[in-house]
Amino acid sequence: MSLTPYRQVGTPSRGGIVLVADHAGILVPDDIPLGIGPDLMTRHIAVDIGVEGVAERMARRHDIPAHLATISRLVIDLHREEDHEKLIPVESDGHLIAGNIGADRDRRVALYYRPYHDALAQWLDAADPRLIVSLHSFTPKLESDPGEERPWDVGLLYNENSEPALRAMAMFRAQGMNVGDNEPYSGRILNATMNRHAEAKGRNYLAIEVRQDHIATAAGQQRWAGLIADIANRVALMLD
């Protein structure tokens, strides 16, 4: 039996704010042996650490409903285009994902990728949101490139529509934070879900990357849920 690749928390108010988390899940179907140790399944290569806890709190305490992935990004990366070469990763941050070598790509797309994005599209069409928050987290240090500096507390990613991100960056900086402008990843290169469900539809969004050590604990998740909810609401009020 296959897993449902998403779950939704809360009910959107039409014209409100919603949250999307493509890498919140950690589940792996029983019939997909990834060939890696269980210790790696709790690390950043398998899941965006802390994101599920932040999203749950934003949905339940701050009235920002969430569409969350349930499956691990190692099963299929929902934040990639369907034809992307790394849709089913065979390597991540220096770790071989042996079970994905020769994987049945079409089957995983049919069982997990398309249902996730089809459900998201329907959810967003019904909500007609004023603003989408796309939430991810990033590791402070990559194992494959330990010399890379990742000093940001939070990053805002964008492609063509930069206005919401620029407004949010100023608000995070006002909190004394080191804020990445299209860091640690450029939204002009890696923005698949928001390109499809936001920019292609003329919807405003904030693609937010929080450093994982800030949201690894319940206390951190509570703090950042409140902070992101406040900034998202302030940005939404500024949008035409």
Side-chain angles (χ1 to χ4, degrees):
M1 180 180 295
S2 63
L3 297 170
T4 302
Y6 67 90
R7 64 187 181 94
Q8 294 168 346
V9 184
T11 302
S13 299
R14 192 166 178 84
I17 303 173
V18 297
L19 183 148
V20 177
D22 298 323
H23 294 154
I26 201 168
L27 299 179
V28 178
D30 291 339
D31 60 350
I32 297 181
L34 294 175
I36 62 175
D39 59 313
L40 291 180
M41 290 305 303
T42 61
R43 295 171 53 188
H44 73 95
I45 68 168
V47 63
D48 274 5
I49 294 167
V51 161
E52 184 177 40
V54 175
E56 286 271 1
R57 288 165 173 80
M58 288 179 67
R60 300 189 189 280
R61 302 181 185 181
H62 300 282
D63 197 27
I64 297 179
H67 178 94
L68 308 174
T70 61
I71 60 171
S72 170
R73 64 195 301 178
L74 295 181
V75 173
I76 193 164
D77 194 331
L78 300 167
H79 188 42
R80 295 286 188 276
E81 292 80 8
E82 189 172 319
D83 60 354
H84 197 283
E85 64 178 358
K86 294 184 178 179
L87 185 72
I88 299 176
V90 297
E91 182 275 337
S92 183
D93 199 11
H95 296 281
L96 178 67
I97 317 301
N100 282 345
I101 298 173
D104 188 338
R105 184 187 184 99
D106 290 344
R107 180 175 183 271
R108 293 196 200 180
V109 166
L111 287 177
Y112 308 115
Y113 185 92
R114 288 179 185 159
Y116 175 86
H117 283 285
D118 288 349
L120 176 55
Q122 293 170 13
W123 190 70
L124 291 173
D125 285 346
D128 189 23
R130 185 172 181 80
L131 182 69
I132 302 169
V133 176
S134 174
L135 186 60
H136 291 263
S137 67
F138 66 95
T139 182
K141 183 177 291 188
L142 290 170
E143 294 178 50
S144 56
D145 187 8
E148 180 188 14
E149 293 292 333
R150 287 181 147 191
W152 310 282
D153 298 299
V154 62
L156 274 293
L157 279 55
Y158 54 89
N159 187 5
E160 297 296 329
N161 183 7
S162 63
E163 180 187 356
L166 294 175
R167 292 184 182 276
M169 279 187 261
M171 295 176 189
F172 280 114
R173 288 182 181 125
Q175 297 288 324
M177 294 186 178
N178 186 341
V179 181
D181 182 343
N182 260 337
E183 300 285 359
Y185 311 100
S186 172
R188 295 193 173 96
I189 298 172
L190 183 60
N191 201 50
T193 297
M194 289 300 97
N195 283 344
R196 174 175 177 173
H197 296 286
E199 293 209 346
K201 302 287 187 178
R203 294 167 176 150
N204 287 304
Y205 67 94
L206 293 174
I208 299 176
E209 290 266 0
V210 182
R211 205 173 71 202
Q212 289 170 352
D213 54 337
H214 290 326
I215 55 174
T217 66
Q221 291 161 17
Q222 180 175 335
R223 174 175 180 258
W224 277 84
L227 178 62
I228 295 171
D230 176 63
I231 287 175
N233 276 289
R234 290 160 60 196
V235 169
L237 288 173
M238 295 178 175
L239 298 173
D240 294 330

